[in-house]
């Protein structure tokens, strides 16, 4: 019980909302809390606040995985996990400031202070310059609060690759989203990550009255695998053929296709997978069920398939197999099985995105200790 209470206290501290309103002026030589950006960039800040980037260090899935990783690897896990999930903690001094940027996830000022990305520097590919200049895709913007500089880097896939591409010290590709994109039809057409994950949307760059007449902004929700809308448009399934091979056997052909994603699906953590389920009916009675799974599977140094998120990063020794659907790929899956000699055949097929992360939940433990009853 003491351990449960301690864990609840730890989680409570980690999840404290530290981002109160901040009306202080921007610090040109330091990393600024995102609440200061809200003073001018209301709509963009609101998008970021509800995004997975804004909650990258307080999301319950990350919290659980991080606590497990820290229990197994200590400070190594902190340095590794926070590099992408709370990068601001490495740019500030003092415990209070560290706690603030621990809760911020990926702050606005961090991304808009990046000046270069070097993927050869596996432990820290980003170079950040805190010089008061805010960098982004706009070349003609002006601000009374800070300097502005156009950054072509912010329009490239390389900018995202610093966190969404990772090969460990053994040469095992854990995340390969950037590499997958490089071989995609979208990359050949000149489309980058930002085209799909940060498209232009109606909105104001700054609050009314601050001088800008821009009426479109890049979407800062930056939605991906946690977004139903992004997931459902990525793939299609189509039944091509159902036929009897002989009196007792039927054959089914199904096409699965990656039609809407500029990288393999699923991408990111290797613990995610897509499941194809094909059901064969005869006269509306289910008689056969087939399944295919699409996933990259990693092995630890004992030859076991890794099934926990944090261990894909800490313990991956080699890739066992990878049959995910590449960008633009169409694949024919064939099944056959015994069927009754008579009856009208019908087939249903569906694709399901499956991810089973661990989440620590607070639960009540109740034990009745004693009781008494009095009846006069």
């Amino acid at each position: 019980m003491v351990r449960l209470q301690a864990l609840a206290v730890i989680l409570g501290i980690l999840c404290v909302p530290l981002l109160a309103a901040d009306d202080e002026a921007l610090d040109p030589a330091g990393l600024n809390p995102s609440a200061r950006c809200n003073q001018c960039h209301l709509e963009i800040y609101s998008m970021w606040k509800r995004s997975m980037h804004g909650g990258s260090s307080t999301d319950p899935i990350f919290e659980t995985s991080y606590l497990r990783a820290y229990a197994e690897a200590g400070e190594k896990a902190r340095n590794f996990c926070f590099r992408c999930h709370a990068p601001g903690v490495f740019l500030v001094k003092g415990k209070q400031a560290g706690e603030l940027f621990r809760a911020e996830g990926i702050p606005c000022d961090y991304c808009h202070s990046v000046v270069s990305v070097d993927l050869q520097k596996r432990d820290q590919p980003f170079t950040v310059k805190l010089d008061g200049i805010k960098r982004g895709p706009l070349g003609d913007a002006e601000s009374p609060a800070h300097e502005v500089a156009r950054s072509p880097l912010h329009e490239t896939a390389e900018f995202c690759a610093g966190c969404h591409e990772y090969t460990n010290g053994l040469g095992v590709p854990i995340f390969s989203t950037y590499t997958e994109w490089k071989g995609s039809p979208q990359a050949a057409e000149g489309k980058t990550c930002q085209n799909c994950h940060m498209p232009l949307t109606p909105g104001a760059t700054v609050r009314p009255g601050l001088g800008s007449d821009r009426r479109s902004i890049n979407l800062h929700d930056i939605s991906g695998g946690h977004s139903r809308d992004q997931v459902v448009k990525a793939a299609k399934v189509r039944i091509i053929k159902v036929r009897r091979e002989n009196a007792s056997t039927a054959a089914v052909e199904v096409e699965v296709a990656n039609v809407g994603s500029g990288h393999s699906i699923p991408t990111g953590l290797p613990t995610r997978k897509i499941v194809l389920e094909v059901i064969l009916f005869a006269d509306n009675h289910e008689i056969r069920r087939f399944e295919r799974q699409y996933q990259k599977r990693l092995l630890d140094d004992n030859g076991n398939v890794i099934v926990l998120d944090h261990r894909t990063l800490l313990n991956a020794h080699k890739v066992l197999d990878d049959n995910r659907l590449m960008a633009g790929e169409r694949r024919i899956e064939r099944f056959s099985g015994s069927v009754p000699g008579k009856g009208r055949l019908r087939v249903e097929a569906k694709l399901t995105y499956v991810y089973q992360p661990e989440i620590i939940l607070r639960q009540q433990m109740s034990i009745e200790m004693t009781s008494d009853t009095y009846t006069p």
Side-chain angles (χ1 to χ4, degrees):
M1 185 65 178
V2 172
R3 289 184 179 180
L4 288 174
Q5 290 174 336
L7 182 58
V9 170
I10 292 172
L11 288 175
I13 292 173
L14 292 177
C15 295
V16 169
L18 297 172
L19 303 181
D22 192 334
D23 57 0
E24 297 180 21
L26 291 177
D27 177 3
L31 189 71
N32 289 272
S34 297
R36 291 182 189 169
C37 306
N38 185 44
Q39 297 176 51
C40 296
H41 304 284
L42 176 61
E43 291 190 52
I44 294 175
Y45 173 82
S46 297
M47 292 178 183
W48 167 85
K49 181 79 170 174
R50 63 176 181 263
S51 73
M52 293 303 299
H53 279 199
S56 63
S57 64
T58 55
D59 173 72
I61 294 175
F62 170 76
E63 290 284 16
T64 304
S65 189
Y66 172 66
L67 287 173
R68 275 190 168 274
Y70 194 86
E72 294 181 20
E75 198 67 11
K76 174 185 175 183
R78 178 184 182 275
N79 293 337
F80 182 83
C81 297
F82 284 5
R83 178 177 74 80
C84 283
H85 282 265
V89 300
F90 301 110
L91 298 177
V92 297
K93 295 180 180 180
K95 182 178 179 181
Q96 184 175 3
E99 289 176 350
L100 169 63
F101 286 102
R102 161 68 172 88
E104 280 225 322
I106 305 168
C108 310
D109 208 8
Y110 184 86
C111 282
H112 289 283
S113 298
V114 171
V115 295
S116 66
V117 179
D118 185 351
L119 298 180
Q120 299 304 311
K121 298 178 179 179
R122 190 175 65 250
D123 293 333
Q124 180 48 271
F126 295 106
T127 298
V128 176
K129 185 178 289 187
L130 299 178
D131 56 2
I133 302 173
K134 310 310 171 191
R135 298 162 176 87
L138 300 181
D140 58 348
E142 295 182 358
S143 170
H146 55 77
E147 292 186 60
V148 179
R150 183 177 182 276
S151 168
L153 172 66
H154 284 68
E155 300 177 275
T156 67
E158 286 74 17
F159 182 76
C160 308
C163 282
H164 294 276
E165 181 85 5
Y166 179 73
T167 298
N168 69 13
L170 296 175
V172 180
I174 311 302
F175 308 138
S176 53
T177 306
Y178 171 69
T179 298
E180 295 157 18
W181 166 83
K182 286 180 71 175
S184 71
Q186 287 85 346
E189 295 169 5
K191 294 181 179 178
T192 65
C193 312
Q194 292 87 334
N195 287 108
C196 291
H197 297 284
M198 296 188 70
L200 285 173
T201 187
T205 307
V206 296
R207 291 175 182 265
L210 293 182
S212 174
D213 58 357
R214 295 181 186 276
R215 291 296 175 262
S216 63
I217 53 180
N218 288 100
L219 190 67
H220 278 66
D221 287 353
I222 320 177
S223 56
H226 293 273
S227 164
R228 183 184 183 279
D229 290 342
Q230 288 283 12
V231 170
V232 297
K233 69 183 182 182
K236 294 290 184 183
V237 60
R238 181 172 65 94
I239 299 167
I240 298 174
K241 185 189 303 181
V242 183
R243 64 181 177 85
R244 290 182 179 274
E245 294 183 310
N246 52 53
S248 60
T249 305
V252 179
E253 289 187 6
V254 176
E255 180 188 69
V256 292
N258 180 345
V259 297
S261 180
H263 46 68
S264 297
I265 53 173
T267 194
L269 283 169
T271 49
R272 306 176 186 192
K273 60 186 176 183
I274 291 176
V275 177
L276 168 66
E277 190 175 41
V278 177
I279 307 172
L280 180 60
F281 298 85
D283 286 338
N284 292 323
H285 296 289
E286 180 183 327
I287 55 174
R288 301 284 299 178
R289 188 177 289 254
F290 308 98
E291 183 178 288
R292 290 278 193 279
Q293 295 190 5
Y294 308 99
Q295 183 181 20
K296 176 165 70 176
R297 296 188 297 173
L298 304 181
L299 298 178
D300 63 20
D301 54 2
N302 293 318
N304 300 312
V305 175
I306 299 174
V307 296
L308 297 176
D309 288 347
H310 71 286
R311 287 184 178 158
T312 63
L313 296 162
L314 296 179
N315 307 120
H317 192 73
K318 65 181 295 186
V319 177
L320 172 62
D321 50 31
D322 184 354
N323 70 336
R324 295 172 300 152
L325 297 165
M326 295 185 294
E329 181 181 4
R330 294 180 179 273
R331 193 179 302 176
I332 305 297
E333 301 287 8
R334 296 177 172 86
F335 309 91
S336 64
S338 58
V339 295
K342 296 181 180 181
R344 178 174 173 270
L345 299 181
R346 180 172 64 86
V347 172
E348 294 180 1
K350 65 178 179 179
L351 283 175
T352 304
Y353 174 84
V354 178
Y355 178 40
Q356 296 176 301
E358 292 185 305
I359 300 178
I360 295 176
L361 300 175
R362 183 195 297 259
Q363 296 185 354
Q364 177 175 301
M365 185 174 72
S366 177
I367 301 174
E368 183 175 320
M369 298 176 65
T370 185
S371 64
D372 187 20
T373 302
Y374 170 72
T375 303

